[in-house]
Amino acid sequence: MIYKIPNPFRYKIQLWEIPIENKHPSGTEEIKKIFGKNKVVPKHLEQLFYETIVYYPELKDTYIIVIENKFYGIQHTLRSYPPLLSLLNKRKDRVIPIVINTNKNTPIPFYSLSREEQKGILAHEMAHALDYTKRSATELLGLSYMFCFSKDFIQRLEKNTNNVAISRGFENDILKFRNHAKENSTSSYKYYEKIIYEANKINTLKTLRFSVLHTINTALGFLVAFEEMIVLIYIKKIHKQN
């Protein structure tokens, strides 16, 4: 299913189906031999990372860098960002960052999650990364714009992203993370989850308040992301030299 969004950037939301043939190896080292090209992952996360990315064969050669950093005032547990600083590069040379928020004040710290919950949220972010690889530079700019200013866009994008991860076999892992989030997160995070997953009718004033706060929060997040991506491009250069 494709949702066309009328905006200057011609962005659309699409559900990326799993390839018909999805045979994959087992065992971290075997997977790493095939998927390890253009990947920079902390050693202690390699098993989790490669056991997840093996279900996204389209990302085999995609440049992905996983880093850990403290985000202050931002509630995200884990987040992938569009490769905005490498848009002028060829698609195969774009850097897609996946950033783990290690701030202990985060409502749902990544390392407090079970392995299944970690895999569920990582599979969701890899579905975002897959979406980024399918987009032109113009569409990626449109995505960033719409993500900042359209609640309806976020709702549809996140639902489709979840559906991609579910189609790759991560339904139980995603549900476990969702249940954990509902039970342990702050009221604002729960409200965000309600908008994304349930799409119920919500009080207009609350929705407006959420939209304004989300726009500010997202804008701040992208400012931090730009700093992160500059670091990632530097990491990429060092990684290629080695």
Side-chain angles (χ1 to χ4, degrees):
M1 182 179 295
I2 299 176
Y3 297 100
K4 293 184 179 179
I5 302 173
N7 71 79
F9 307 102
R10 304 189 306 278
Y11 188 78
K12 59 184 179 294
I13 298 175
Q14 183 166 333
L15 176 59
W16 302 109
E17 299 287 355
I18 191 169
I20 296 175
E21 293 185 5
N22 188 35
K23 298 178 182 178
H24 54 79
S26 59
T28 303
E29 291 305 316
E30 288 300 313
I31 299 171
K32 188 176 177 180
K33 287 178 183 177
I34 299 172
F35 284 79
K37 179 183 177 183
N38 297 336
K39 306 297 185 299
V40 182
V41 186
K43 194 70 177 177
H44 61 279
L45 290 172
E46 281 191 348
Q47 184 177 2
L48 177 70
F49 178 87
Y50 286 111
E51 286 181 359
T52 306
I53 200 172
V54 73
Y55 290 92
Y56 294 88
E58 305 95 326
L59 298 177
K60 182 168 70 73
D61 297 321
T62 302
Y63 222 116
I64 298 177
I65 301 179
V66 180
I67 63 173
E68 300 166 300
N69 193 24
K70 290 183 180 180
F71 280 140
Y72 293 97
I74 299 174
Q75 295 191 339
H76 301 294
T77 304
L78 180 70
R79 194 169 195 181
S80 59
Y81 290 94
L84 298 180
L85 289 187
S86 51
L87 286 183
L88 298 180
N89 296 354
K90 295 179 180 179
R91 292 194 188 193
K92 64 183 181 66
D93 293 327
R94 292 176 184 170
V95 181
I96 297 179
I98 296 180
V99 184
I100 297 171
N101 188 358
T102 57
N103 188 345
K104 293 181 180 179
N105 295 324
T106 303
I108 311 176
F110 182 77
Y111 291 108
S112 71
L113 300 173
S114 69
R115 186 170 185 79
E116 291 79 10
E117 291 162 352
Q118 289 177 347
K119 190 172 284 189
I121 191 172
L122 181 58
H124 177 94
E125 296 308 322
M126 285 186 180
H128 276 301
L130 172 61
D131 187 61
Y132 301 154
T133 66
K134 304 286 188 179
R135 304 303 178 187
S136 67
T138 303
E139 289 175 332
L140 284 171
L141 289 172
L143 181 152
S144 303
Y145 174 86
M146 295 298 291
F147 198 87
C148 285
F149 297 106
S150 174
K151 176 181 68 65
D152 180 62
F153 169 85
I154 299 168
Q155 179 180 313
R156 286 183 286 169
L157 177 66
E158 294 297 337
K159 279 187 175 182
N160 268 20
T161 303
N162 263 352
N163 287 337
V164 171
I166 288 169
S167 76
R168 305 297 168 110
F170 294 98
E171 181 175 10
N172 290 334
D173 304 306
I174 288 173
L175 285 175
K176 285 183 178 180
F177 173 75
R178 177 186 173 186
N179 292 335
H180 182 101
K182 283 186 172 182
E183 293 173 4
N184 297 282
S185 59
T186 62
S187 58
S188 61
Y189 197 105
K190 289 177 182 177
Y191 184 69
Y192 178 79
E193 294 291 316
K194 185 175 183 180
I195 289 176
I196 290 177
Y197 292 106
E198 298 178 9
N200 292 333
K201 290 183 179 179
I202 301 173
N203 179 275
T204 304
L205 181 59
K206 286 185 177 180
T207 304
L208 178 60
R209 187 183 304 125
F210 169 82
S211 298
V212 173
L213 291 175
H214 173 79
T215 298
I216 295 172
N217 198 37
T218 302
L220 290 174
F222 273 110
L223 287 175
V224 175
F226 273 112
E227 178 187 351
E228 294 292 348
M229 282 186 277
I230 292 172
V231 175
L232 294 178
I233 291 172
Y234 177 70
I235 291 174
K236 176 184 173 182
K237 288 182 178 179
I238 295 176
H239 184 241
K240 281 205 166 186
Q241 289 172 0
N242 298 332

